[in-house]
Amino acid sequence: DVDTRPNKFDTTTLTDNDDAFFIVEQYHILSQYFMAASPRHPIMFYTIHHTLQALLTAPEIGMIQAPKITGPHALHAGFQYFMRDQGVRIPDAVPGEKPAKAGTWKGTDGHTLTVRGIGENENEYVQREAIRRKQKEREYSEMGMEHFSKQASEKTNKSCYRVLWEVQQDSQKAILQQQQQQQRRRRRT
């Protein structure tokens, strides 16, 4: 995230041998606000596909809880798939569990994750939310944006598939209109 800053993190924290790098956040899962991964790393593949599946199968697109569908829980699911390929079961992210621990984790096809820190001291390596919430909200407002926690959830009675269908239909209509305009211009000349 753009509102993080290094603490104990320095030029020796990440090495050329790190295939992927995460810190442990306060809920004892991998940090989604600060991460690094080599191109085509399996944890990212699994995380993206899990996110897409969760979005596509959500029955109500207007009531999606971002942290559970696209944020830390999606990354945690990617971690679970990554380690499952080595026969290691990673517990679900629920209160009382501490599924992410510091160390080097070997998963899919020999790829690794380097994990640093402990949840009780999530800011040890990287300061999360280095910009205070009020200042961040003010800056978002100046850019015409709002923090995801301020966005009102409104029931739409539409699934993600339905919204994608509507976008595709609108796109097709726009293309057809553009083609018709081009044909009219050609006839005039």
Side-chain angles (χ1 to χ4, degrees):
D1 287 358
V2 297
D3 62 341
T4 60
R5 68 175 167 81
N7 275 342
K8 190 174 169 181
F9 189 95
D10 61 26
T11 57
T12 64
T13 306
L14 264 172
T15 71
D16 290 341
N17 296 327
D18 290 326
D19 197 8
F21 180 91
F22 296 87
I23 54 177
V24 180
E25 70 152 90
Q26 65 183 342
Y27 300 112
H28 302 280
I29 57 178
L30 301 179
S31 57
Q32 91 291 342
Y33 56 87
F34 183 86
M35 62 178 120
S38 61
R40 293 172 291 288
H41 193 286
I43 193 170
M44 302 314 293
F45 176 87
Y46 290 143
T47 300
I48 295 297
H49 282 272
H50 178 83
T51 300
L52 291 173
Q53 182 180 9
L55 283 170
L56 289 171
T57 58
E60 170 57 56
I61 197 76
M63 304 299 284
I64 286 177
Q65 296 177 341
K68 294 197 179 211
I69 300 292
T70 63
H73 289 272
L75 178 59
H76 187 68
F79 181 41
Q80 290 176 307
Y81 297 131
F82 175 76
M83 292 308 299
R84 188 177 301 150
D85 289 344
Q86 289 295 311
V88 176
R89 184 190 172 283
I90 300 297
D92 290 337
V94 295
E97 289 289 342
K98 297 183 179 184
K101 294 176 177 50
T104 301
W105 298 76
K106 188 174 182 180
T108 307
D109 295 337
H111 284 272
T112 61
L113 302 177
T114 300
V115 180
R116 299 274 175 90
I118 59 171
E120 290 82 6
N121 189 12
E122 74 169 344
N123 293 322
E124 177 182 7
Y125 286 91
V126 176
Q127 174 70 42
R128 185 177 191 179
E129 294 191 281
I131 300 172
R132 298 208 186 282
R133 176 65 68 94
K134 295 282 185 201
Q135 179 184 350
K136 189 169 19 175
E137 288 175 0
R138 189 172 48 254
E139 290 177 11
Y140 279 168
S141 178
E142 289 170 6
M143 293 185 285
M145 299 168 51
E146 60 185 2
H147 191 269
F148 79 89
S149 65
K150 298 285 186 191
Q151 295 173 348
S153 296
E154 295 178 18
K155 195 166 175 92
T156 63
N157 293 319
K158 294 180 182 180
S159 68
C160 188
Y161 278 117
R162 177 62 192 190
V163 172
L164 288 172
W165 171 255
E166 290 173 0
V167 167
Q168 189 270 342
Q169 291 299 301
D170 290 346
S171 200
Q172 288 297 319
K173 287 177 191 174
I175 290 169
L176 183 59
Q177 288 173 347
Q178 189 178 34
Q179 289 171 343
Q180 290 170 343
Q181 287 174 350
Q182 288 173 349
Q183 287 174 353
R184 283 193 290 271
R185 285 187 199 124
R186 281 189 216 122
R187 284 187 210 138
R188 287 187 222 147
T189 56

